[in-house]
């Protein structure tokens, strides 16, 4: 027995070798290096032109316009979408029908078509007026004066965003179980208190992931406003390359700005999701690094090998 025990002590634990994993990683890494080498050494990319225009005044104005359109459309879109979601969940068939039709229509019509319709609304209604029977016309103005390119873009973006936001909010509210509502009623909560203290905190966990994706998508959707000559970041790049004929470098400037803005929004989305997901599980507090693909697997692998 002593000899067997001595032989057991000499045994070494050898970790499993993942040859396929290392081979696939090597192939992908070689492809990435080759692509990076091609981009850096290809003179047609004109990195000097990109660096020169990246913080140009016109480009920065376009970035501010893009952020402004995104913020306005997201805030108003989700506010109006929440109203539509509550209408859809109402027991009033008229409210349900109106909410369903609105969502069906604005989700079915492409964003670019909506933008053109609002931009050319004067063809349908040359004047917009407010009248009260018995008192006559109280206010009137020309549609062209009221609906500028900026206001047409805002209206189209808000209408488009609210239709998608309504479905996201509705799904989040319906994810809360009836047992939670019955428990709140048993405690004597009023309907407003039930919604604020019971439904909303739990619904936000289901709402935030798709809402974050929708906000990022909305930022990119604002690029369509360039077709009505509204100076967003894409239109600013177009103005410059129409003058200098440096098409690819200016399009790459716009691309880098979109990547930067969406990356910031993605980081913000992670922390907002973590805030609303607190208390759901007792696991350790997540960090942005730990959420990266492969981090948790590598950590588990190290713990097995150490054990």
């Amino acid at each position: 027995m002593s000899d067997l025990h001595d032989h057991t002590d000499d045994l070494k634990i050898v970790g499993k070798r993942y040859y396929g994993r290392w081979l696939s990683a090597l192939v992908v890494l070689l492809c990435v290096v080759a692509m990076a080498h091609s981009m850096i050494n290809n003179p047609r990319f004109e990195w000097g032109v990109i660096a020169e225009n990246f913080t140009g005044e016109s480009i920065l104005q376009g970035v501010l316009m893009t952020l402004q359109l995104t913020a306005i459309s997201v805030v108003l879109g989700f506010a109006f979408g929440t109203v539509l979601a509550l209408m859809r969940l109402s027991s009033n068939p008229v409210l349900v029908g109106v909410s369903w039709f609105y969502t069906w229509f604005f989700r079915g019509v492409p964003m670019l078509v909506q933008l053109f319709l609002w931009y050319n609304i004067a063809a349908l209604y040359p004047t917009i007026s407010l009248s009260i029977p018995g008192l006559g016309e109280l206010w009137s103005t020309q549609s062209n004066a009221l609906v500028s390119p900026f206001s047409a873009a805002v209206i189209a973006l808000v209408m488009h965003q609210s239709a998608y936001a309504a479905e996201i909010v509705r799904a989040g509210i319906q994810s809360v179980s009836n047992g939670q509502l019955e428990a709140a009623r048993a405690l004597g909560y009023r309907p407003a208190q039930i919604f604020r203290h019971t439904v909303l905190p739990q619904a936000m966990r289901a709402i935030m992931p798709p809402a974050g994706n929708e906000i990022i998508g909305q930022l990119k959707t604002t690029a369509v406003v360039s077709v009505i000559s509204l100076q967003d970041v894409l239109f600013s790049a177009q103005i410059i390359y129409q003058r200098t004929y440096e098409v690819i470098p200016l399009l790459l400037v716009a691309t880098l700005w979109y990547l930067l803005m969406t990356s910031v929004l993605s980081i913000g989305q992670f922390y907002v999701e973590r805030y609303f997901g607190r208390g759901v599980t007792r696991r350790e507090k997540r960090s942005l690094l730990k959420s990266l693909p492969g981090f948790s697997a590598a950590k588990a692998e190290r713990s097995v090998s150490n054990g």
Side-chain angles (χ1 to χ4, degrees):
M1 287 294 293
S2 60
D3 292 339
L4 180 61
H5 181 72
D6 293 338
H7 287 299
T8 304
D9 292 339
D10 294 336
L11 294 177
K12 295 182 180 180
I13 298 176
V14 179
K16 184 177 179 180
R17 292 177 173 83
Y18 298 92
Y19 297 108
R21 179 186 298 179
W22 287 107
L23 179 61
S24 60
L26 179 61
V27 172
V28 172
L29 184 61
L30 289 175
C31 292
V32 171
V33 171
M35 187 178 298
H37 180 270
S38 174
M39 293 174 62
I40 293 173
N41 292 279
N42 189 343
R44 294 182 180 86
F45 278 93
E46 301 183 68
W47 293 107
V49 177
I50 295 174
E52 180 183 349
N53 290 276
F54 188 75
T55 55
E57 182 179 355
S58 178
I59 295 294
L60 292 179
Q61 289 177 355
V63 171
L64 291 176
M65 175 61 71
T66 297
L67 294 174
Q68 185 178 1
L69 289 172
T70 303
I72 294 174
S73 62
V74 166
V75 172
L76 296 182
F78 271 90
F80 192 29
T82 302
V83 174
L84 290 170
L86 295 177
M87 290 171 60
R88 185 73 177 274
L89 297 173
S90 171
S91 58
N92 188 325
V94 176
L95 297 181
V96 173
V98 170
S99 176
W100 179 88
F101 179 82
Y102 181 98
T103 304
W104 167 78
F105 181 82
F106 284 100
R107 286 203 307 169
V109 179
M111 176 61 205
L112 190 59
V113 177
Q114 296 181 41
L115 182 63
F116 281 134
L117 285 173
W118 286 109
Y119 185 64
N120 296 283
I121 194 67
L124 292 174
Y125 298 97
T127 60
I128 299 176
S129 60
L130 176 64
S131 301
I132 297 179
L135 297 178
E137 187 178 275
L138 300 180
W139 174 80
S140 178
T141 186
Q142 295 293 320
S143 297
N144 285 328
L146 183 64
V147 183
S148 63
F150 179 79
S151 57
V154 168
I155 294 172
L157 289 168
V158 169
M159 295 294 188
H160 177 80
Q161 180 67 75
S162 60
Y164 286 91
E167 291 299 286
I168 292 173
V169 174
R170 179 181 65 83
I173 293 175
Q174 289 182 324
S175 68
V176 181
S177 65
N178 290 329
Q180 299 288 332
L181 305 180
E182 293 173 0
R185 294 191 192 100
L187 292 173
Y189 282 14
R190 295 188 296 273
Q193 292 177 317
I194 293 175
F195 181 78
R196 187 170 64 252
H197 297 295
T198 303
V199 176
L200 191 59
Q202 297 183 66
M204 288 300 292
R205 290 197 297 268
I207 290 173
M208 282 314 303
N213 292 334
E214 190 63 30
I215 292 171
I216 292 172
Q218 185 73 348
L219 185 143
K220 295 181 293 182
T221 302
T222 58
V224 301
V225 304
S226 61
V227 300
I228 59 173
S229 302
L230 195 61
Q231 190 177 352
D232 70 323
V233 63
L234 177 59
F235 188 74
S236 299
Q238 290 174 328
I239 291 176
I240 297 174
Y241 74 60
Q242 286 172 0
R243 185 179 69 250
T244 63
Y245 300 103
E246 297 165 333
V247 179
I248 297 300
L250 269 302
L251 288 178
L252 288 175
V253 168
T255 300
L256 292 174
W257 269 113
Y258 280 117
L259 287 173
L260 178 61
M261 291 185 287
T262 54
S263 298
V264 172
L265 288 178
S266 298
I267 295 172
Q269 177 186 358
F270 170 81
Y271 286 105
V272 172
E273 286 183 20
R274 190 179 73 173
Y275 174 80
F276 284 106
R278 67 194 190 282
V280 179
T281 59
R282 296 182 178 180
R283 60 186 179 184
E284 60 179 333
K285 196 173 183 180
R286 288 195 308 157
S287 66
L288 186 60
L289 178 62
K290 293 178 182 179
S291 68
L292 295 177
F295 182 90
S296 56
K299 182 178 179 182
E301 201 174 294
R302 288 196 302 270
S303 63
V304 170
S305 63
N306 292 335

